[in-house]
Amino acid sequence: MENIIVFSIAPVSAIIALAFAYGFYRSVLKLSEGNEKMVEIAEAVRKGARAYIKQQYKIVVIFFFFAALFLVFLSFVLKVQSLWTPFAFLTGGFFSGLAGFIGMTTATLASARTTNQARDSLDKALKVAFRSGAVMGLIVVGLALLDISLWFIVLHIWLKNSLVITTITMLSFGMGASLQALFARVGGGIYTKAADVGADLVGKVEAGIPEDDPRNPATIADNVGDNVGDVAGMGADLYESYTGAILSSAALGAAAYVLLNPSLAYNAVVLPMVIAGIGILASILGIYLVKTREGATQKQLLSSLGVGINVSSLIIIIGSFVSVKLLLPQNLGIFGSIVVGLVVGVIVGKSVEYYTSASYKPTLEVAEKAKTGEATVIIAGLSSGMISTAIPVITIACGIIGAFAFAGGFKNAIMGLYGIGVAAVGMLSTLGITLATDAYGPIADNAGGNAEMAGLDKVVRERTDALDSLGNTTAATGKGFAIGSAALTALALLAAYIEEVKAGMRHIINKGETVVVGLGKVFSNVEQVDHLTIENFMELFKVNLMNPKVIVGVFIGSMMSFMFSGLTMKAVGKVASKMVDEVRRQFREIKGILEGKTTPDYASCVEISIRGAQREMILPSSLAIIMPILTGILLGVPGVMGLLVGALGSGFILAIFMANAGGSWDNAKKFIEQGNLGGKGSPAHKAGVVGDTVGDPLKDTSGPSLNILIKLMSMISIVVAGLIVGYSIL
């Protein structure tokens, strides 16, 4: 019997998350933004952020319109997809965009208020910044879990669709979220890093003025970029990670238990949703535990955030055990898979912290190399980033084997894959608070900019810089966390792709047609498809390393990671060049800027970033959409499987390298700016700025976008699986 009461934990928790997010939002708005100058600066940043989002969403709507038409064609004309697929796709994109917009709006409202609170104490500033970041975290998990719950209610409880059809249809919701996330991450990343590079190279290196100095024409664009890239972009990114983990594990749960134990299939499907719901409640409690004292060191500030995260993780462990005991008592090993996911997340996060924080040897060594110039600091950052991939890769590898084994995968492969999917859910279950630690960083960064431009006391900037430096570490940890969860989720999606291919075969058979696979194997009834195991499927479609289609797919998938990264980095360089030219022009032609007698033309720099980001994001995003479809049409199912494996392997490692190298360069520069190795204005500082500039597009544009690329290609492959089965050429 289906237990509706247990399932209700998911939608109720989602509503609670949205209620607390609104409460935190209202509490932030009650605080003062400070003096007239602080308000003016904050409003300029808000105006720029709104202008960017408005322009981006115009382009995204066009892409979604044509994508929805394509899905309508698959569903209503070819009839190789559920009729609900286009609608689920659109809601996924809408709620992902909404979550990013709300988070960004809150961040732009919170920055000046954080600055104003920093005039009183470090603790007050931390609470404002962190709880504003918590709005982003709770909005993401609240909207995601609510939308998933509503679709489950509509498709299964109301329309009485089978669990397999329901969960497979809901995967298209994840495609919408992934597509929106890619545009948000790529566009926002190009914007923020083009502005950042332009501001740093001309302002810091050439003109020798401080970061966020009001004399720098690019400083407002730089602060806008923090919000559209690191808040709206990261929010959309983790929204799709969260939904992808839940939806893929739910689909695998339905497929596994419908064959093994149909009476528990419903429980296997709702378990990921219930765990996510418990994680929301644990995150809310953890958020209230974050506080610090005046004069706290970086380690003490990091420890303050750690208290909230650790308590939330402990609660989710207890809640998960109770949930598995209640829903899947015959397979308590699933609880082991969940714990594996949590442990993997912690280790990956700590690894990223070790390689990017100025409190540890790797980043200190990068800073030390700045004394001998730009070339050595760049070499040191590259080598550190490459070496840093070892721990996350080994950890994820052990996590995959552990989650697979705990769930019984060596006896039944699909059960093991379900365990991997649930491990990803476990890793992301406390996203409400972990995303808060990430989103708070850009708020603290903007607070420091506000303090500098408003000419506040030195102690205010010191407090905001302390929060900003901590934010760099938590942001790097958040990126590592997102990349780690992407690896587990992408593997679960790879297994879900197999189930979607089977669903496509069912749709074709239900039209009265037959499916011919391999060497003339004919499927003419649905029962034949239903009883296909993963092992049978792999043998039937010849998905093995001796099939050239698979190998070609692996090469194409591996190439996509590098091609995509190259295009996004090139885009940053093109827009940044225009930004550099504009800042130089203003310094040269507008008299009195460097003397502080004339206000720069901030709006022109904002406009350059907006137009450049919108134009340059189209090609890499289009390639990510087209390549899985083209590969499937040309090489069939084996080619697509190879494509997804190649993209997962190369993209995961490349993303870790980029995020860690960039984070190390950034914190090495900040370490020098604190008065070490000659301090600001020294040759070491200029070398550090160049290293940070090189690392900016790696850590904030290309690297974070890769984990979306991996999952988006998987999601697109899943949605077009029916088309590939029926119409592939080879």
Side-chain angles (χ1 to χ4, degrees):
M1 183 177 177
E2 296 182 350
N3 194 331
I4 304 298
I5 295 176
V6 174
F7 161 71
S8 66
I9 292 174
V12 169
S13 297
I15 293 170
I16 291 173
L18 297 177
F20 271 89
Y22 179 72
F24 288 142
Y25 174 78
R26 294 294 300 173
S27 68
V28 170
L29 288 187
K30 290 178 182 178
L31 300 172
S32 170
E33 285 192 280
N35 60 40
E36 185 177 340
K37 184 65 176 176
M38 294 166 68
V39 173
E40 178 188 335
I41 294 164
E43 182 55 35
V45 173
R46 280 195 288 272
K47 184 178 179 181
R50 286 195 297 265
Y52 171 79
I53 288 293
K54 181 180 178 181
Q55 187 64 29
Q56 184 189 66
Y57 284 4
K58 286 181 181 178
I59 295 175
V60 170
V61 164
I62 295 172
F63 269 83
F64 267 80
F65 174 75
F66 285 106
L69 283 182
F70 177 64
L71 294 178
V72 167
F73 175 72
L74 294 183
S75 301
F76 290 86
V77 180
L78 296 183
K79 297 181 180 179
V80 293
Q81 265 292 354
S82 165
L83 301 182
W84 290 96
T85 293
F87 305 104
F89 164 75
L90 290 174
T91 63
F94 173 77
F95 281 109
S96 175
L98 180 62
F101 175 77
I102 293 173
M104 185 205 72
T105 300
T106 304
T108 57
L109 289 168
S111 58
R113 290 172 167 87
T114 300
T115 309
N116 198 41
Q117 292 299 302
R119 298 165 84 179
D120 291 335
S121 76
L122 183 65
D123 182 50
K124 287 183 178 180
L126 173 63
K127 284 182 178 177
V128 174
F130 184 70
R131 292 191 178 179
S132 301
V135 173
M136 175 86 264
L138 294 177
I139 283 289
V140 164
V141 295
L143 286 178
L145 193 55
L146 182 63
D147 200 13
I148 289 171
S149 300
L150 290 176
W151 273 109
F152 186 75
I153 291 169
V154 169
L155 294 173
H156 181 66
I157 297 175
W158 181 37
L159 294 177
K160 307 297 183 184
N161 283 312
S162 71
L163 288 168
V164 171
I165 292 175
T166 295
T167 53
I168 289 296
T169 302
M170 287 168 65
L171 281 167
S172 56
F173 162 83
M175 175 185 164
S178 293
L179 185 58
Q180 162 59 27
L182 188 69
F183 281 112
R185 250 311 183 192
V186 173
I190 294 170
Y191 181 110
T192 184
K193 291 305 109 180
D196 199 0
V197 169
D200 281 359
L201 283 182
V202 185
K204 286 185 179 181
V205 177
E206 295 182 8
I209 58 179
E211 186 172 8
D212 298 316
D213 193 294
R215 294 172 291 175
N216 192 329
T219 191
I220 293 293
D222 188 11
N223 280 277
V224 170
D226 291 332
N227 292 286
V228 300
D230 295 337
V231 179
M234 175 58 85
D237 178 353
L238 286 170
Y239 183 99
E240 67 93 25
S241 295
Y242 190 72
T243 55
I246 296 171
L247 293 170
S248 59
S249 54
L252 290 172
Y257 278 89
V258 161
L259 290 177
L260 299 176
N261 192 341
S263 64
L264 292 177
Y266 173 88
N267 291 359
V269 169
V270 301
L271 177 63
M273 304 178 202
V274 171
I275 292 170
I278 296 170
I280 286 176
L281 302 178
S283 295
I284 292 171
L285 176 61
I287 289 167
Y288 278 101
L289 296 176
V290 174
K291 56 185 177 180
T292 192
R293 60 180 176 79
E294 193 58 42
T297 64
Q298 283 297 299
K299 285 190 175 181
Q300 289 169 332
L301 285 170
L302 197 59
S303 177
S304 298
L305 297 181
V307 169
I309 294 173
N310 293 338
V311 170
S312 299
S313 298
L314 180 61
I315 293 172
I316 198 65
I317 288 174
I318 297 170
S320 297
F321 177 77
V322 174
S323 299
V324 174
K325 181 75 172 174
L326 181 64
L327 294 173
L328 299 176
Q330 296 178 356
N331 194 352
L332 289 177
I334 294 295
F335 170 67
S337 299
I338 296 169
V339 173
V340 165
L342 283 166
V343 171
V344 166
V346 170
I347 295 175
V348 171
K350 290 295 183 183
S351 168
V352 171
E353 179 187 331
Y354 174 73
Y355 278 101
T356 60
S357 173
S359 299
Y360 300 103
K361 185 178 178 181
T363 296
L364 293 176
E365 287 182 343
V366 173
E368 185 71 24
K369 295 299 181 183
K371 293 193 299 184
T372 52
E374 292 87 350
T376 49
V377 81
I378 290 172
I379 292 170
L382 288 173
S383 61
S384 178
M386 291 176 180
I387 293 168
S388 73
T389 62
I391 295 176
V393 168
I394 293 170
T395 301
I396 289 292
C398 293
I400 288 171
I401 298 297
F404 188 83
F406 272 118
F410 291 108
K411 293 181 180 178
N412 187 291
I414 196 166
M415 278 302 305
L417 292 168
Y418 175 63
I420 293 171
V422 174
V425 175
M427 185 186 293
L428 292 169
S429 58
T430 56
L431 184 62
I433 186 169
T434 52
L435 181 51
T437 66
D438 197 328
Y440 119 94
I443 296 171
D445 191 357
N446 267 219
N450 193 295
E452 183 75 35
M453 286 183 275
L456 300 183
D457 293 341
K458 184 179 179 181
V459 68
V460 178
R461 184 64 200 238
E462 288 174 354
R463 288 167 179 163
T464 57
D465 278 352
L467 295 178
D468 183 23
S469 183
L470 175 65
N472 280 329
T473 299
T474 57
T477 302
K479 291 181 181 74
F481 191 76
I483 294 165
S485 66
L488 294 180
T489 301
L491 189 56
L493 287 172
L494 193 61
Y497 173 69
I498 294 174
E499 296 306 315
E500 185 65 41
V501 170
K502 290 165 63 176
M505 295 169 69
R506 293 188 194 96
H507 282 294
I508 293 171
I509 292 169
N510 287 332
K511 289 194 302 179
E513 302 174 12
T514 58
V515 179
V516 181
V517 181
L519 298 175
K521 174 66 176 178
V522 178
F523 289 82
S524 57
N525 64 75
V526 173
E527 287 74 20
Q528 289 176 287
V529 177
D530 289 340
H531 288 87
L532 270 179
T533 64
I534 286 182
E535 292 83 359
N536 296 149
F537 179 94
M538 303 292 271
E539 182 179 351
L540 185 67
F541 281 92
K542 298 191 178 301
V543 181
N544 59 66
L545 293 179
M546 300 308 294
N547 186 341
K549 296 181 188 177
V550 175
I551 299 299
V552 170
V554 170
F555 278 123
I556 294 173
S558 300
M559 174 273 294
M560 273 297 296
S561 297
F562 287 87
M563 173 73 79
F564 180 84
S565 298
L567 288 171
T568 50
M569 290 182 67
K570 184 178 180 181
V572 171
K574 287 174 67 176
V575 183
S577 295
K578 294 180 180 179
M579 185 68 70
V580 167
D581 289 340
E582 174 61 17
V583 176
R584 286 173 177 167
R585 183 195 69 79
Q586 291 197 34
F587 281 155
R588 184 176 62 250
E589 298 179 4
I590 302 177
K591 304 302 181 183
I593 288 183
L594 287 174
E595 293 78 20
K597 298 176 181 178
T598 306
T599 302
D601 181 6
Y602 299 124
S604 64
C605 291
V606 171
E607 185 65 21
I608 286 172
S609 271
I610 290 175
R611 291 188 177 278
Q614 300 307 319
R615 183 176 58 252
E616 298 298 333
M617 74 178 185
I618 293 175
L619 178 57
S621 300
S622 299
L623 278 177
I625 297 167
I626 294 169
M627 194 57 71
I629 301 173
L630 189 61
T631 302
I633 293 294
L634 293 175
L635 301 176
V637 172
V640 173
M641 293 287 282
L643 172 83
L644 300 183
V645 169
L648 173 57
S650 64
F652 171 55
I653 297 172
L654 189 59
I656 294 171
F657 155 68
M658 288 182 164
N660 289 353
S664 182
W665 276 316
D666 192 354
N667 279 331
K669 176 202 68 175
K670 282 186 165 53
F671 177 74
I672 296 170
E673 289 177 342
Q674 290 169 0
N676 302 294
L677 305 176
K680 291 183 179 180
S682 66
H685 181 228
K686 290 184 178 181
V689 171
V690 172
D692 178 40
T693 303
V694 172
D696 272 340
L698 270 69
K699 71 180 176 64
D700 289 325
T701 306
S702 302
S705 299
L706 277 172
N707 74 71
I708 304 173
L709 174 75
I710 295 167
K711 287 171 289 182
L712 177 61
M713 291 204 299
S714 298
M715 286 290 187
I716 291 173
S717 300
I718 284 170
V719 172
V720 302
L723 174 71
I724 303 308
V725 170
Y727 299 93
S728 64
I729 295 174
L730 298 178

